[in-house]
Amino acid sequence: MAMVKLNWLHNRVKGGCVTFGVPHAKGEVKDSNNIFIEQNSQVVTSQNKSIAYWEDGSVKWTSVSAVLNENEVTVKMGNVKADEPMSVTENDSSIAVDNGVFKAVFHKKGHILMETDAISLGLKAVKTLFSTEGDVTIKKNVPYLGEASECIIEDVGAVKTVVCVKGTHKAGDSFLRFIVRFTIYKNSNKIGIMHTFIYDGDAAVDFIGGVGVWVKCKMSGSSLNRRVKIAGDYGVLHEPLQMLTTWHPRLSGEYYKAQLRSECLDESAIVDDKNNSVGAEVIENLTLWDSYKYTQVTADSFTVKKRTAHEECTYINAGFGKRAKGMLYAGGENGGVGIAMRHFYEKAPSAIHADKLSSDFAELTAWIHPLEAEALDMRHYDTISHDQTYYEGFPHVGSDPYGIGVTNEFSVFLYDQTPSDEKIMQDSEAVARPAVLVCDGETYKNTAVLGVFSLPDRSTPLKAWLEEELDKAVDFYINEVEQRHWYGLFDFGDVMHTYDDERHSWKYDMGGYAWQNTELVPTLWLWYAFLRSGRGDVFDLAEAMSRHAADVDVYHIGDKKGLGSRHNVIHWGDSCKEARIAMAGHHRALYYIMGGDARLGDVFSDVCDADAATLKTDPLGAFYKKEDMTLPTHARIGPDWSTYCSNWYTEWERNKNTKYRDKIITGIKDLEKAPLQMLSGPDFEYDPETGHLGYIGENTTGGVHLMICMGGPQTWMELTNVLEDNALREMMVKFGEFYYLPAEEKREKSSGLKRPHAFVYPYMAAGMVSFAAKETNSEKLSYKVWQALIHSLAGKDKTEGFNCKSVKYFNNESLREIPHISTNFAAQWCLNTIVALELTKDFMLNTKEDYKWEEWVR
């Protein structure tokens, strides 16, 4: 194996406890334990495991966990003596993990999921119910506590231990299932928490009033020496529970200054300006602040409120700001606990509450959605479908949140002394902007672990122009997230579908033109954009999209498990429930770069049998009569079967499960038998049990472009490198050679079976045609690829490309917009351009003017 170098993502924290993925070319690595890492020419203890394999059994990706400094990391081949694993013991009721700093006990049953000597931890949720009596609306908040039903060790080694706890929130009945992973690194005071909840209520009545993580922590010493620290925009709000600055008796200001330096005071040694001892009655008369509410109200506003211990008293304002760092510390004379939330403002409203600070045990709650905010309403936005007017799926309303999920990240810090303000800001930043180790683009490309993509090349005027347009496109969307405030628990990470230049806004309220929900794979575009550039801001955009789409847009339980919801005003609102939205390929890059992200691993397991869900949710059920069918459901070559290929390929490479490889091969053989092979259909009957496709003639209910614009080509290109048979490769070449043919030649070559007008959107086919050009060494096909790509963006009547213009808008003096933009076009043009730049690089001419406009490229 060649030496692999990794560097820290430039816009993130550098160093610390980290898990990352190392890619390997086929045949290079037989055992992940035969690699080691170095920093500053010194071997660093690591915990390695294989998380993907090539078809020959060699390792494709290694997950590495280590505690590192800020310098470059080098991965080398060789045997290094393994360190002893962390101490982990298990019995019938619990799992105990000792990391050298604390011992954590995880309970297999009950409301307390985890406890140490200093804390106990669990989950809570609130169901909000509304009823009316005449003109009176009655709101009822029903509290639920998380109750574990399963607790397992997922990973253990010399560097870290991961424990997964599953269960549901209970209050007689059940509400909101959960999957929570705890990560504990050796000799670290931090407990990492990845929290997923899955909605399992009745959308008509079961509103989410609140959901969060609670921590009960021991408090020690006098209230004079107890304090809270709250991370704001730029610094820390630090307040003792009782502040020793008085009107009478007069005290030296040094006492108060000492408190704010986090020094502990001896009550018995406090004297007034006349050197008289201050009695207990004076201390008792100091206001005792017992509760704090630290709330990110919107993405642009947070507040801090506090109250005494008396529930009949009001909260007072204690501070405000724009974007909080999302961390609160509460402690006493012997240290305390900090709890921090990632994406505190991006997923607002969110909050951290601290209560009972003056008692023996304080209670901290990190609210993913806080009680003080409006309850989350899971209902649809209308009572009818807008399938004809606004591009929604079917004539019926199909909105259904049952089974969708949300994942959030927390960290709990156990401090044995009061942390400095600088430490609070550092730890909050490490949660908000966690460290990420990545390879350079050349390593990802040359190992061929994530498909076909190009590296930036500006060596000719044409290539320089293409790179500029690619940069402008991704920069536009990075800016749009902030400019349009695409924030919120269910929305953050997604982008909108189609722009409305008359309103200078996106069509957020127009059915299928609103949220994108992975339509036309902007996920793949953004991940390829990152792989080739290494840009941290692109990684942020792609990561947020994968996190959102993998959870919110996908069904994780129920009859629709493994399917997702098509683009809509509400993420789960469209009546089309299809596998393509939930495709594993959307998120493979994030999974592997992060060293085998456990939550995405869950999602990949959820979707690997997504085809079975089509027995009840046939993607073409509205177009064919059940009684006329031979096989039990339908699958289009793309996006249905192509998505199954992605799901199966991911399961095969992760777990060596050849059952799913064989299902891919079965489908390929069935396509070989069809009259026009991959050009056939693309509608087929399908049997999820066997993986067989049944040819039913030349029927195109959704258009041939759907075969190639939902990630199919990217999956198939990877598969050609791991399947022994060349059948798939040969069918892809035939498809690519056919797509740009003139209409009459299409009719002739298909013996009249194909309708030429079905082959629309030439730019979407550029990847497949580029593949054919590469395989057949065809300069002619390459020329057509660049005709299609250049003139779809900047050809006849198209001179603006991805250029922005500024307009005055109702909340923005200088709004940056691209009036003609749609995410469908941006994602597919950029993705196909990135692929074509690699596959046709040997045939490209020097300038865009060398490629003439023709009518067919419209």
Tab-separated table of all heavy atoms in Angstrom, residues 299-342:
chain	number	residue	atom	x	y	z
A	299	ALA	N	-32.703	31.180	14.199
A	299	ALA	CA	-31.322	31.058	13.754
A	299	ALA	C	-30.521	32.322	14.032
A	299	ALA	O	-29.291	32.295	14.035
A	299	ALA	CB	-31.283	30.736	12.262
A	300	ASP	N	-31.206	33.428	14.307
A	300	ASP	CA	-30.534	34.719	14.488
A	300	ASP	C	-30.733	35.323	15.870
A	300	ASP	O	-30.394	36.494	16.077
A	300	ASP	CB	-31.039	35.722	13.442
A	300	ASP	CG	-30.607	35.349	12.040
A	300	ASP	OD1	-29.472	34.883	11.871
A	300	ASP	OD2	-31.426	35.496	11.116
A	301	SER	N	-31.256	34.576	16.812
A	301	SER	CA	-31.541	35.174	18.114
A	301	SER	C	-31.557	34.126	19.208
A	301	SER	O	-32.266	33.122	19.099
A	301	SER	CB	-32.909	35.877	18.074
A	301	SER	OG	-33.268	36.351	19.351
A	302	PHE	N	-30.745	34.367	20.253
A	302	PHE	CA	-30.842	33.517	21.438
A	302	PHE	C	-31.038	34.381	22.674
A	302	PHE	O	-30.710	35.574	22.689
A	302	PHE	CB	-29.624	32.599	21.590
A	302	PHE	CG	-28.365	33.257	22.092
A	302	PHE	CD1	-28.120	33.403	23.459
A	302	PHE	CD2	-27.402	33.709	21.203
A	302	PHE	CE1	-26.959	33.992	23.917
A	302	PHE	CE2	-26.224	34.297	21.648
A	302	PHE	CZ	-25.999	34.445	23.022
A	303	THR	N	-31.629	33.773	23.692
A	303	THR	CA	-31.870	34.461	24.953
A	303	THR	C	-31.391	33.600	26.109
A	303	THR	O	-31.302	32.368	25.998
A	303	THR	CB	-33.365	34.763	25.164
A	303	THR	OG1	-34.089	33.525	25.229
A	303	THR	CG2	-33.923	35.623	24.045
A	304	VAL	N	-31.080	34.241	27.208
A	304	VAL	CA	-30.809	33.559	28.467
A	304	VAL	C	-31.750	34.154	29.511
A	304	VAL	O	-31.830	35.380	29.651
A	304	VAL	CB	-29.351	33.734	28.917
A	304	VAL	CG1	-29.125	33.017	30.256
A	304	VAL	CG2	-28.383	33.207	27.865
A	305	LYS	N	-32.473	33.300	30.189
A	305	LYS	CA	-33.371	33.725	31.262
A	305	LYS	C	-33.031	32.938	32.519
A	305	LYS	O	-32.537	31.807	32.437
A	305	LYS	CB	-34.836	33.492	30.878
A	305	LYS	CG	-35.312	34.290	29.669
A	305	LYS	CD	-36.742	33.934	29.301
A	305	LYS	CE	-37.209	34.675	28.053
A	305	LYS	NZ	-37.380	36.102	28.298
A	306	LYS	N	-33.312	33.527	33.684
A	306	LYS	CA	-33.029	32.814	34.929
A	306	LYS	C	-34.112	33.105	35.957
A	306	LYS	O	-34.859	34.082	35.842
A	306	LYS	CB	-31.654	33.199	35.462
A	306	LYS	CG	-31.481	34.644	35.886
A	306	LYS	CD	-30.050	34.867	36.373
A	306	LYS	CE	-29.829	36.288	36.876
A	306	LYS	NZ	-28.442	36.497	37.362
A	307	ARG	N	-34.163	32.202	36.951
A	307	ARG	CA	-35.209	32.287	37.962
A	307	ARG	C	-34.681	31.750	39.272
A	307	ARG	O	-33.749	30.921	39.291
A	307	ARG	CB	-36.427	31.466	37.505
A	307	ARG	CG	-37.691	31.677	38.321
A	307	ARG	CD	-38.756	30.663	37.970
A	307	ARG	NE	-38.364	29.313	38.404
A	307	ARG	CZ	-39.076	28.227	38.197
A	307	ARG	NH1	-40.204	28.296	37.513
A	307	ARG	NH2	-38.659	27.051	38.625
A	308	THR	N	-35.279	32.178	40.360
A	308	THR	CA	-34.967	31.594	41.662
A	308	THR	C	-35.636	30.227	41.766
A	308	THR	O	-36.301	29.771	40.838
A	308	THR	CB	-35.451	32.511	42.786
A	308	THR	OG1	-36.875	32.683	42.673
A	308	THR	CG2	-34.754	33.878	42.711
A	309	ALA	N	-35.498	29.587	42.904
A	309	ALA	CA	-36.004	28.224	43.061
A	309	ALA	C	-37.518	28.161	43.215
A	309	ALA	O	-38.087	27.069	43.280
A	309	ALA	CB	-35.340	27.561	44.265
A	310	HIS	N	-38.168	29.297	43.264
A	310	HIS	CA	-39.603	29.328	43.549
A	310	HIS	C	-40.399	29.313	42.255
A	310	HIS	O	-40.350	30.269	41.465
A	310	HIS	CB	-39.933	30.567	44.389
A	310	HIS	CG	-39.077	30.683	45.609
A	310	HIS	ND1	-39.197	29.818	46.682
A	310	HIS	CD2	-38.065	31.531	45.919
A	310	HIS	CE1	-38.305	30.138	47.605
A	310	HIS	NE2	-37.598	31.169	47.170
A	311	GLU	N	-41.126	28.245	42.021
A	311	GLU	CA	-41.838	28.086	40.760
A	311	GLU	C	-42.915	29.143	40.549
A	311	GLU	O	-43.342	29.386	39.423
A	311	GLU	CB	-42.450	26.687	40.683
A	311	GLU	CG	-41.415	25.589	40.561
A	311	GLU	CD	-42.035	24.235	40.291
A	311	GLU	OE1	-43.277	24.174	40.132
A	311	GLU	OE2	-41.297	23.240	40.234
A	312	GLU	N	-43.378	29.770	41.626
A	312	GLU	CA	-44.397	30.805	41.482
A	312	GLU	C	-43.800	32.139	41.032
A	312	GLU	O	-44.533	33.107	40.789
A	312	GLU	CB	-45.150	31.004	42.811
A	312	GLU	CG	-44.324	31.586	43.948
A	312	GLU	CD	-43.605	30.533	44.773
A	312	GLU	OE1	-43.377	29.406	44.250
A	312	GLU	OE2	-43.283	30.816	45.940
A	313	CYS	N	-42.491	32.173	40.888
A	313	CYS	CA	-41.815	33.411	40.482
A	313	CYS	C	-41.495	33.389	38.986
A	313	CYS	O	-41.421	32.340	38.353
A	313	CYS	CB	-40.524	33.602	41.283
A	313	CYS	SG	-40.830	33.896	43.046
A	314	THR	N	-41.269	34.560	38.441
A	314	THR	CA	-41.022	34.695	37.006
A	314	THR	C	-39.548	34.508	36.671
A	314	THR	O	-38.669	34.638	37.534
A	314	THR	CB	-41.471	36.085	36.511
A	314	THR	OG1	-41.376	36.130	35.090
A	314	THR	CG2	-40.596	37.195	37.099
A	315	TYR	N	-39.298	34.216	35.412
A	315	TYR	CA	-37.938	34.260	34.871
A	315	TYR	C	-37.619	35.702	34.484
A	315	TYR	O	-38.500	36.435	34.022
A	315	TYR	CB	-37.809	33.369	33.633
A	315	TYR	CG	-37.649	31.902	33.942
A	315	TYR	CD1	-38.766	31.082	34.128
A	315	TYR	CD2	-36.388	31.334	34.034
A	315	TYR	CE1	-38.613	29.725	34.394
A	315	TYR	CE2	-36.227	29.980	34.302
A	315	TYR	CZ	-37.349	29.188	34.491
A	315	TYR	OH	-37.197	27.857	34.768
A	316	ILE	N	-36.371	36.101	34.656
A	316	ILE	CA	-35.948	37.410	34.202
A	316	ILE	C	-34.925	37.253	33.074
A	316	ILE	O	-34.271	36.213	32.959
A	316	ILE	CB	-35.345	38.261	35.342
A	316	ILE	CG1	-34.004	37.670	35.820
A	316	ILE	CG2	-36.329	38.404	36.497
A	316	ILE	CD1	-33.220	38.611	36.708
A	317	ASN	N	-34.819	38.277	32.254
A	317	ASN	CA	-33.847	38.246	31.156
A	317	ASN	C	-32.434	38.378	31.705
A	317	ASN	O	-32.142	39.259	32.517
A	317	ASN	CB	-34.121	39.374	30.166
A	317	ASN	CG	-35.422	39.191	29.431
A	317	ASN	OD1	-35.800	38.064	29.106
A	317	ASN	ND2	-36.128	40.270	29.151
A	318	ALA	N	-31.542	37.509	31.251
A	318	ALA	CA	-30.164	37.516	31.725
A	318	ALA	C	-29.157	37.755	30.610
A	318	ALA	O	-27.978	37.983	30.889
A	318	ALA	CB	-29.845	36.188	32.415
A	319	GLY	N	-29.586	37.683	29.391
A	319	GLY	CA	-28.654	37.890	28.292
A	319	GLY	C	-29.304	37.564	26.965
A	319	GLY	O	-30.374	36.953	26.908
A	320	PHE	N	-28.649	37.979	25.897
A	320	PHE	CA	-29.155	37.691	24.560
A	320	PHE	C	-27.987	37.738	23.592
A	320	PHE	O	-26.884	38.183	23.924
A	320	PHE	CB	-30.227	38.708	24.145
A	320	PHE	CG	-29.684	40.084	23.898
A	320	PHE	CD1	-29.339	40.494	22.622
A	320	PHE	CD2	-29.500	40.973	24.953
A	320	PHE	CE1	-28.815	41.757	22.397
A	320	PHE	CE2	-28.976	42.237	24.739
A	320	PHE	CZ	-28.631	42.635	23.458
A	321	GLY	N	-28.244	37.288	22.387
A	321	GLY	CA	-27.220	37.327	21.355
A	321	GLY	C	-27.797	36.857	20.045
A	321	GLY	O	-29.013	36.660	19.915
A	322	LYS	N	-26.916	36.610	19.095
A	322	LYS	CA	-27.378	36.185	17.782
A	322	LYS	C	-27.278	34.667	17.636
A	322	LYS	O	-28.284	33.987	17.545
A	322	LYS	CB	-26.566	36.873	16.676
A	322	LYS	CG	-27.085	36.548	15.281
A	322	LYS	CD	-26.329	37.295	14.187
A	322	LYS	CE	-26.893	36.939	12.811
A	322	LYS	NZ	-26.158	37.606	11.704
A	323	ARG	N	-26.065	34.135	17.635
A	323	ARG	CA	-25.899	32.694	17.415
A	323	ARG	C	-25.016	32.117	18.506
A	323	ARG	O	-23.800	32.292	18.510
A	323	ARG	CB	-25.304	32.432	16.026
A	323	ARG	CG	-26.329	32.700	14.944
A	323	ARG	CD	-25.797	32.543	13.543
A	323	ARG	NE	-26.909	32.642	12.597
A	323	ARG	CZ	-26.781	32.685	11.288
A	323	ARG	NH1	-25.563	32.649	10.738
A	323	ARG	NH2	-27.838	32.773	10.512
A	324	ALA	N	-25.647	31.421	19.431
A	324	ALA	CA	-24.935	30.843	20.560
A	324	ALA	C	-24.130	29.636	20.124
A	324	ALA	O	-24.451	28.977	19.138
A	324	ALA	CB	-25.924	30.451	21.652
A	325	LYS	N	-23.113	29.330	20.915
A	325	LYS	CA	-22.272	28.170	20.618
A	325	LYS	C	-22.920	26.862	21.063
A	325	LYS	O	-22.492	25.787	20.674
A	325	LYS	CB	-20.910	28.323	21.294
A	325	LYS	CG	-20.036	29.405	20.675
A	325	LYS	CD	-19.606	29.042	19.266
A	325	LYS	CE	-18.565	30.001	18.718
A	325	LYS	NZ	-19.099	31.334	18.429
A	326	GLY	N	-23.959	26.938	21.903
A	326	GLY	CA	-24.702	25.728	22.242
A	326	GLY	C	-24.110	24.906	23.363
A	326	GLY	O	-24.227	23.681	23.356
A	327	MET	N	-23.471	25.562	24.364
A	327	MET	CA	-22.905	24.814	25.493
A	327	MET	C	-23.201	25.528	26.800
A	327	MET	O	-23.060	26.754	26.905
A	327	MET	CB	-21.396	24.632	25.337
A	327	MET	CG	-20.767	23.843	26.480
A	327	MET	SD	-19.052	23.417	26.160
A	327	MET	CE	-18.647	22.547	27.689
A	328	LEU	N	-23.609	24.747	27.802
A	328	LEU	CA	-23.842	25.245	29.157
A	328	LEU	C	-23.119	24.366	30.154
A	328	LEU	O	-23.186	23.126	30.063
A	328	LEU	CB	-25.343	25.279	29.472
A	328	LEU	CG	-25.764	25.806	30.836
A	328	LEU	CD1	-27.119	26.522	30.743
A	328	LEU	CD2	-25.846	24.710	31.896
A	329	TYR	N	-22.441	25.000	31.097
A	329	TYR	CA	-21.754	24.299	32.195
A	329	TYR	C	-22.432	24.659	33.505
A	329	TYR	O	-22.792	25.823	33.742
A	329	TYR	CB	-20.283	24.699	32.247
A	329	TYR	CG	-19.602	24.333	33.550
A	329	TYR	CD1	-19.091	23.045	33.749
A	329	TYR	CD2	-19.490	25.257	34.582
A	329	TYR	CE1	-18.481	22.699	34.945
A	329	TYR	CE2	-18.878	24.922	35.778
A	329	TYR	CZ	-18.378	23.640	35.970
A	329	TYR	OH	-17.782	23.304	37.156
A	330	ALA	N	-22.599	23.675	34.353
A	330	ALA	CA	-23.084	23.897	35.718
A	330	ALA	C	-22.223	23.087	36.668
A	330	ALA	O	-21.971	21.897	36.431
A	330	ALA	CB	-24.547	23.490	35.845
A	331	GLY	N	-21.748	23.731	37.741
A	331	GLY	CA	-20.872	22.999	38.653
A	331	GLY	C	-20.701	23.691	39.985
A	331	GLY	O	-21.226	24.788	40.220
A	332	GLY	N	-19.943	23.012	40.856
A	332	GLY	CA	-19.680	23.519	42.190
A	332	GLY	C	-18.208	23.457	42.522
A	332	GLY	O	-17.345	23.575	41.647
A	333	GLU	N	-17.922	23.224	43.791
A	333	GLU	CA	-16.544	23.297	44.264
A	333	GLU	C	-15.659	22.184	43.710
A	333	GLU	O	-14.443	22.352	43.598
A	333	GLU	CB	-16.535	23.271	45.799
A	333	GLU	CG	-17.189	24.501	46.422
A	333	GLU	CD	-17.233	24.424	47.933
A	333	GLU	OE1	-16.761	23.412	48.502
A	333	GLU	OE2	-17.742	25.375	48.548
A	334	ASN	N	-16.252	21.061	43.347
A	334	ASN	CA	-15.472	19.930	42.841
A	334	ASN	C	-15.661	19.697	41.350
A	334	ASN	O	-15.529	18.581	40.857
A	334	ASN	CB	-15.849	18.657	43.614
A	334	ASN	CG	-15.544	18.789	45.089
A	334	ASN	OD1	-14.487	19.302	45.463
A	334	ASN	ND2	-16.474	18.339	45.927
A	335	GLY	N	-15.943	20.770	40.642
A	335	GLY	CA	-16.169	20.642	39.216
A	335	GLY	C	-17.638	20.477	38.886
A	335	GLY	O	-18.517	20.746	39.717
A	336	GLY	N	-17.908	20.042	37.664
A	336	GLY	CA	-19.300	19.913	37.256
A	336	GLY	C	-19.426	19.317	35.875
A	336	GLY	O	-18.543	18.596	35.402
A	337	VAL	N	-20.516	19.666	35.212
A	337	VAL	CA	-20.880	19.039	33.941
A	337	VAL	C	-21.174	20.112	32.905
A	337	VAL	O	-21.854	21.106	33.189
A	337	VAL	CB	-22.119	18.130	34.116
A	337	VAL	CG1	-22.581	17.586	32.779
A	337	VAL	CG2	-21.812	17.003	35.076
A	338	GLY	N	-20.654	19.895	31.719
A	338	GLY	CA	-21.019	20.720	30.576
A	338	GLY	C	-21.769	19.881	29.566
A	338	GLY	O	-21.444	18.702	29.363
A	339	ILE	N	-22.767	20.457	28.941
A	339	ILE	CA	-23.483	19.759	27.877
A	339	ILE	C	-23.539	20.686	26.670
A	339	ILE	O	-23.808	21.882	26.797
A	339	ILE	CB	-24.901	19.307	28.324
A	339	ILE	CG1	-25.534	18.413	27.254
A	339	ILE	CG2	-25.792	20.473	28.687
A	339	ILE	CD1	-26.716	17.614	27.769
A	340	ALA	N	-23.205	20.137	25.515
A	340	ALA	CA	-23.113	20.932	24.296
A	340	ALA	C	-23.884	20.250	23.174
A	340	ALA	O	-23.906	19.025	23.076
A	340	ALA	CB	-21.656	21.125	23.891
A	341	MET	N	-24.491	21.056	22.320
A	341	MET	CA	-25.278	20.564	21.190
A	341	MET	C	-24.684	21.088	19.897
A	341	MET	O	-24.349	22.272	19.786
A	341	MET	CB	-26.732	21.047	21.294
A	341	MET	CG	-27.464	20.583	22.526
A	341	MET	SD	-29.106	21.362	22.667
A	341	MET	CE	-29.926	20.733	21.200
A	342	ARG	N	-24.562	20.207	18.923
A	342	ARG	CA	-24.151	20.642	17.590
A	342	ARG	C	-25.360	21.205	16.835
A	342	ARG	O	-26.499	20.814	17.078
A	342	ARG	CB	-23.550	19.461	16.819
A	342	ARG	CG	-22.856	19.909	15.542
A	342	ARG	CD	-22.137	18.803	14.833
A	342	ARG	NE	-21.494	19.339	13.632
A	342	ARG	CZ	-21.292	18.648	12.527
A	342	ARG	NH1	-21.647	17.379	12.456
A	342	ARG	NH2	-20.713	19.210	11.483
